[in-house]
Every structure is written in C-alpha cells, then in structure tokens.
Amino acid sequence: MIEQFEKVTGRIFDIQKFSVHDGPGIRTIVFLKGCFLRCRWCCNPESQEFAIQKMLRAGKEETVGRDVTVGEVMEQVLKDMPYYRRSGGGVTLSGGEALGQPDFAVALLSACKEYGINTAIETTGFSQFSVIERFLPVCDLFLMDIKHTDSAKHKEFTTQPNELILENAKKIAQSAKKLVIRVPVIPTFNDTPQEIASIAKFTKSLGTVNELHLLPYHRLGYDKYVGLKRDYGMGDIPSPTKEHMELLRATAAKEGLDVIIGG
C-alpha cells in the first residue's frame, strides 16, 4: 500500500526533528513551500513563495526549497519511530500551507498512517473545502489559525479576507478528528481583550473545540526578511508582555475554553 505514495513529489524547505510543539509528543515537522496569505508578521517568509529562492544567512547564500518525494521524507520520519511511540508524537505538516500542495501532503500523511504515525497539519484554512476534505481521513489533528473575526482588518494584515476561513473552520469542526484553534497574538492587529474575546466566542460556537492556543508575537523571523531583501512589515513593534498575554488568556477562558499560551 505504501508504494502508491512513495513517488509523489512536493516542495519543502525544511524538516525539523524533535519538536515538542505543533502537536502532541515528540514530532517531526515538515515545512512546505507556498502560502495563500502574506501575513505581515510571518516568521517563515521563505515559505510564502512556492518558487525555490536564494536567501542570505550569516553572510552566506543558501538555497531555500527543494523537491522531494514522499519516500525521501519518510526515510527521515521513520528514523524517529521510537520517539513517536514513547511520547505519543508523530508528524506535523507546516509551512507555508499544506493545503497548497494537496497531492503531496495527503500522500505523505497517508504514508504516515500506514505506519501508525500520528499526523497533524498547521493550516490557515484558506482553501476550497473540497481540498480540505481530502485531508480529513488521514489527519489526526488540525491546528488552525483564526487570526481575526473582522474581515477587513484580516485582509489589511494578511492580504486576504476571512469569510472562507471562518466557514471552513465550522466545517472542519464538524468533520475532523480533532481541531485546535490557534491565534497569533499580534500587537496593532488583534491583541486587545475585545478582539481576543471575539475569537474565543467564535471558537466556542464551533461546538466541538475545547482548546484555544494564544501564540505571542515575536521578531525571530526578522533576519530572514533581511536575507531575502524584503521589508519587514511589523517595524519595531515589541512582543506582548507576559502580563498582557495572561490578561488575554483570562479573557478567552471566560468562554469555558482550555486556553494555553504557546503550544
């Protein structure tokens, strides 16, 4: 059965091992090239373009992006099977956006399931639901961003409106094995108690979602913008304080959700 997936090709830019974020247990994160959004704060700007790029890092030019087969990725994934089994971990597809390479992403997740490996994807949810449906049988966990409930502000900071995203969240909530909503908390964009409360209310309305993760903004991707010769859209805005994040956590928790800072 695994043979039918092994030769499917996709484009990635990194494989990160021994991650303890982005899903339960110890995980291997596969970062795919290409994204439908252009979030101002994106910490992986090299993921946004599907094209293979050149980026300066520590004064040296690196090639960002490579074409791989599912079989080649699985060679790396299977080396860490003992860690997945001991910790309840597995494989998470990140990016970029896995929904932008559905043939490759679904084949890779399917190959993982052939070996009994837990699977997850990080997603913006910005896609036709017919694409998302292909992931449902082979994805154990959807980690989905809800960045804002106001469509105009969402478009201002990400280049895309949010109606399709919110509609897909409702459908995923009813169809997925598990859905966790994540909120990148971005100063000047969505970091007020009122905005977080609105996202928490929407999350509660989904009916099947109990977890909400608040991910504090950071500037760790800044050097990548420099290396790509791109402007950094967030300027010198600082990260939110621990006290402010705790205020937002308490605000969201009023909806009866399990609210985690980070994750």
Side-chain angles (χ1 to χ4, degrees), residues 143-159:
L143 298 164
M144 183 175 177
D145 278 8
I146 298 295
K147 298 173 172 70
H148 213 291
T149 56
D150 181 85
S151 187
K153 197 165 188 183
H154 191 280
K155 185 174 182 178
E156 178 187 355
F157 277 75
T158 72
T159 73

Side-chain angles (χ1 to χ4, degrees), residues 7-175:
K7 294 183 179 180
V8 181
T9 301
R11 184 166 291 175
I12 69 172
F13 68 94
D14 197 12
I15 297 176
Q16 178 182 312
K17 295 193 166 197
F18 304 112
S19 174
V20 293
H21 304 289
D22 307 315
I26 296 171
R27 308 192 71 81
T28 297
I29 315 296
V30 182
F31 292 87
L32 280 69
K33 269 285 223 167
C35 189
F36 304 122
L37 274 56
R38 295 291 182 271
C39 301
R40 289 186 190 177
W41 61 87
C42 181
C43 62
N44 289 328
E46 74 275 33
S47 75
Q48 294 178 348
E49 297 291 338
F50 180 73
I52 295 174
Q53 298 168 286
K54 298 292 185 181
M55 182 172 71
L56 286 175
R57 195 194 302 264
K60 296 182 180 179
E61 187 176 74
E62 296 182 2
T63 298
V64 181
R66 65 186 190 272
D67 293 330
V68 295
T69 65
V70 167
E72 288 170 336
V73 176
M74 289 303 296
E75 286 182 13
Q76 298 299 313
V77 166
L78 293 175
K79 291 177 181 178
D80 294 333
M81 282 288 285
Y83 300 103
Y84 308 147
R85 288 176 176 148
R86 291 173 196 161
S87 68
V91 171
T92 300
L93 303 190
S94 188
E97 174 56 72
L99 301 181
Q101 298 188 55
D103 291 344
F104 173 70
V106 171
L108 180 53
L109 294 175
S110 299
C112 289
K113 296 313 294 179
E114 287 290 313
Y115 287 95
I117 298 171
N118 179 274
T119 56
I121 68 167
E122 291 186 285
T123 180
T124 66
F126 190 79
S127 175
Q128 295 302 309
F129 192 70
S130 59
V131 173
I132 296 171
E133 283 183 309
R134 298 175 59 187
F135 287 77
L136 293 171
V138 291
C139 187
D140 296 309
L141 172 63
F142 280 77
L143 298 164
M144 183 175 177
D145 278 8
I146 298 295
K147 298 173 172 70
H148 213 291
T149 56
D150 181 85
S151 187
K153 197 165 188 183
H154 191 280
K155 185 174 182 178
E156 178 187 355
F157 277 75
T158 72
T159 73
Q160 297 292 349
N162 72 354
E163 286 86 357
L164 179 62
I165 292 169
L166 298 183
E167 186 60 32
N168 281 338
K170 296 173 185 177
K171 294 176 181 178
I172 293 170
Q174 297 305 312
S175 306

Side-chain angles (χ1 to χ4, degrees), residues 226-247:
V226 175
L228 291 167
K229 298 180 180 179
R230 288 180 50 186
D231 292 332
Y232 183 60
M234 295 302 294
D236 295 325
I237 292 174
S239 300
T241 65
K242 291 182 179 180
E243 291 77 13
H244 188 65
M245 289 300 303
E246 179 55 35
L247 170 63

